Amino acid sequence: MKKLWNWSEVITVLRTAQAKRVYLPGNGNLIPPLEAAIQEHAAELSGMQCWQLLSLGGGWDKEDVYPHVRIVTPFIGPTVRNLVNAGRADFIPMHLSLVSKLFEKEWIPDVVFLHTSLPDSSGRVTPGLDAGLSIGPFRQAKAQGKIVIAVMNGRMPHFSITPLMCERMEAGCPIHTHEIDYAIEIDEPLHEHSMGEIDEISFQIGKQIALRIENGSTIQLGIGSIPNAVLAALTEHEDLGVHSEMLSDGLVQLLDSGVVTGRQKTLLRSMVVVGFVLGTRSLYDIVEDERFAFLPQSWINDPRVIARNRRMVSVNSALAVSLEGDVCASSIGTMKYSGVGGARDFALGADMSDEGWPVIALPSTYDSGGERKSRICAVLPRGAHVTSSGDTVQNVVTEFGSASLKGRTIRQRAAAMIRLAHPDFQDGLLEEARALHGLQTLSLAEGDCAFAPAA
């Protein structure tokens, strides 16, 4: 391992290697001074693609950057959304469980950057707040003889490294320094991301979901105000477990209060299984605890693995849902908004789980230029990406109730979904359903067997 002393030396390595494909950590694991250095020298690195999951750093939209260096991502962050929709950055639609496979053949990186802890006494580092994501590109870079550069941060947690003999892997995703080609040390604050306040509608939805979650369940929660509202409503539960692609601050209180113990988990009992974390310092301060098992995303998001958790509950958000149950969570019509993520992975896994419960949760309406519109649609808008199809989605929740779609006919689904919509849109949706789906005699009462009103 050769030590680098400044960012100019890092840029020299990239230039000398003629790197055209570079992996950059994203989410809370991003490295602002590295991104700034690449942007400053963009013209010298012309033709380089930077692969990053959820870009949260700024500067990629500068006119002297994007003609030379392009972001490539499977999950669009707010700072590159306009670039993607303008064709100045590239989007790869894919489920999170398959991301690591991308680096095996389709997108072999020339250089992989890691944002790591400092080495422990055994010379091992852990690859930061998105360890489960970064470990995949790292392994492929080593297998292909490519360059690995570690940015070792004195403020980065060093995760507990625990051999999991039953799974033939180690929690913490440890990397030995002899596997690293270059290293540069920094002492920089970690990126923090607040989930914001829980609004009234999110609170209502979160409360409904929490009432359905049984003690002893294992939970997965996506990102956003609704998943955070669910966590806030679980304070009276007992012995919950966690198997989730990511975690945010809402989990801290449940851990501190003893709600999350994992004692009834059927896979890695008593361990909080996670791939990456995104939140504030209060979350980052606890993840070194031996209860946390940071593991590769390809394993965590494998539906077959998820299904091994009894009473697996999966809660993810959406932008729109059709009357047949098709879900769009990654675009607004033709405009690319976010990405597929792990929603479908966990929906499948929870559905296969013994007593599992997969949920898509969303507010019934949204504001568009001062006009209220319905998120429950007769059909998804033109160009909308089907994140999860209706044959995968089993349960939908809005502030007006919940609908169980499993085993239901199109008529029953349509009736139940219309009853989830805001009352101002129900008549219009009923007319559309009768016209578009050939359901001329459709009655909302037909959804009774599938629909449960809000408590």
Side-chain angles (χ1 to χ4, degrees):
M1 182 178 72
K2 181 179 179 180
K3 191 164 186 177
L4 303 175
W5 298 97
N6 53 56
W7 296 111
S8 294
E9 291 188 353
V10 173
I11 297 300
T12 298
V13 172
L14 291 174
R15 234 183 5 243
T16 302
Q18 298 182 322
K20 295 304 179 184
R21 290 183 168 187
V22 174
Y23 172 84
L24 295 179
N27 298 289
N29 214 27
L30 78 165
I31 313 169
L34 170 60
E35 295 187 16
I38 290 174
Q39 292 164 8
E40 182 182 349
H41 296 272
E44 303 169 44
L45 303 170
S46 192
M48 191 171 81
Q49 295 178 314
C50 291
W51 193 101
Q52 189 174 48
L53 183 73
L54 188 57
S55 180
L56 294 173
W60 297 108
D61 57 347
K62 294 177 182 176
E63 292 189 4
D64 57 348
V65 174
Y66 66 76
H68 304 289
V69 177
R70 294 174 71 89
I71 287 287
V72 180
T73 183
F75 202 93
I76 302 166
T79 59
V80 299
R81 187 170 293 134
N82 289 338
L83 285 176
V84 169
N85 285 287
R88 295 169 176 172
D90 295 310
F91 172 56
I92 304 176
M94 68 187 315
H95 303 295
L96 199 53
S97 60
L98 302 176
V99 163
S100 64
K101 292 185 180 295
L102 180 71
F103 298 98
E104 295 177 9
K105 294 180 181 179
E106 288 86 357
W107 214 90
I108 298 172
D110 299 309
V111 176
V112 167
F113 282 97
L114 301 172
H115 193 181
T116 77
S117 65
L118 296 179
D120 61 17
S121 58
S122 298
R124 298 173 299 179
V125 300
T126 54
L129 303 175
D130 71 348
L133 294 164
S134 287
I135 195 66
F138 161 76
R139 287 175 175 170
Q140 292 308 316
K142 296 309 295 180
Q144 300 288 340
K146 303 300 184 179
I147 295 172
V148 175
I149 303 176
V151 180
M152 298 180 178
N153 193 342
R155 306 193 195 193
M156 182 65 70
H158 189 289
F159 304 137
S160 175
I161 300 174
T162 309
L164 305 174
M165 303 306 294
C166 59
E167 302 299 329
R168 298 183 181 180
M169 65 178 83
E170 285 184 299
C173 300
I175 295 169
H176 201 281
T177 51
H178 68 65
E179 300 176 284
I180 295 168
D181 300 294
Y182 298 93
I184 179 171
E185 287 193 22
I186 63 173
D187 186 29
E188 295 278 345
L190 303 178
H191 178 81
E192 297 186 51
H193 184 79
S194 173
M195 297 301 170
E197 296 295 323
I198 300 171
D199 59 39
E200 179 59 30
I201 290 178
S202 296
F203 174 79
Q204 293 175 26
I205 295 171
K207 184 178 178 182
Q208 285 190 74
I209 294 171
L211 288 171
R212 287 281 309 275
I213 295 176
E214 297 181 35
N215 291 336
S217 296
T218 295
I219 59 174
Q220 173 266 334
L221 297 166
I223 189 170
S225 59
I226 291 176
N228 249 22
V230 175
L231 289 170
L234 290 172
T235 54
E236 300 301 318
H237 280 62
E238 297 178 359
D239 287 336
L240 296 180
V242 175
H243 181 110
S244 187
E245 65 192 40
M246 63 86 64
L247 297 177
S248 59
D249 284 65
L251 183 72
V252 176
Q253 182 183 357
L254 298 185
L255 281 165
D256 289 344
S257 62
V259 170
V260 171
T261 66
R263 283 195 290 257
Q264 295 188 40
K265 284 184 70 184
T266 49
L267 178 62
L268 300 184
R269 190 180 301 275
S270 300
M271 302 191 83
V272 175
V273 174
V274 62
F276 66 95
V277 291
L278 179 61
T280 64
R281 190 72 223 191
S282 62
L283 175 64
Y284 305 157
D285 284 342
I286 69 169
V287 292
E288 288 183 308
D289 190 295
E290 62 183 9
R291 291 175 294 178
F292 288 84
F294 282 82
L295 293 166
Q297 216 74 51
S298 57
W299 184 86
I300 288 175
N301 280 66
D302 186 332
R304 295 166 298 182
V305 172
I306 296 166
R308 290 163 62 189
N309 293 289
R310 183 171 177 267
R311 291 182 183 166
M312 183 73 216
V313 177
S314 166
V315 181
N316 287 283
S317 301
L319 296 170
V321 183
S322 76
L323 296 186
E324 290 191 26
D326 291 328
V327 172
C328 175
S330 59
S331 69
I332 301 174
T334 57
M335 187 190 83
K336 304 294 185 291
Y337 186 80
S338 55
V340 177
R344 184 174 178 273
D345 296 332
F346 275 90
L348 283 171
D351 185 45
M352 292 188 293
S353 162
D354 181 19
E355 298 184 51
W357 190 48
V359 181
I360 293 294
L362 71 165
S364 65
T365 63
Y366 68 101
D367 180 82
S368 177
E371 181 183 358
R372 186 170 61 183
K373 295 187 176 182
S374 177
R375 293 188 185 275
I376 308 301
C377 314
V379 294
L380 293 180
R382 174 181 172 273
H385 179 267
V386 181
T387 311
S388 295
S389 60
D391 54 4
T392 300
V393 175
Q394 305 294 357
N395 303 278
V396 182
V397 178
T398 73
E399 69 271 30
F400 293 106
S402 62
S404 172
L405 306 185
K406 190 169 187 176
R408 308 301 182 186
T409 66
I410 296 299
R411 296 179 67 88
Q412 291 169 331
R413 286 177 176 225
M417 290 298 301
I418 291 171
R419 294 173 72 176
L420 290 183
H422 191 283
D424 290 352
F425 296 96
Q426 290 185 2
D427 289 344
L429 285 169
L430 188 57
E431 289 181 16
E432 287 187 271
R434 288 169 174 166
L436 293 174
H437 296 278
L439 306 177
Q440 287 83 1
T441 61
L442 178 67
S443 163
L444 294 191
E446 294 181 69
D448 284 348
C449 63
F451 173 80

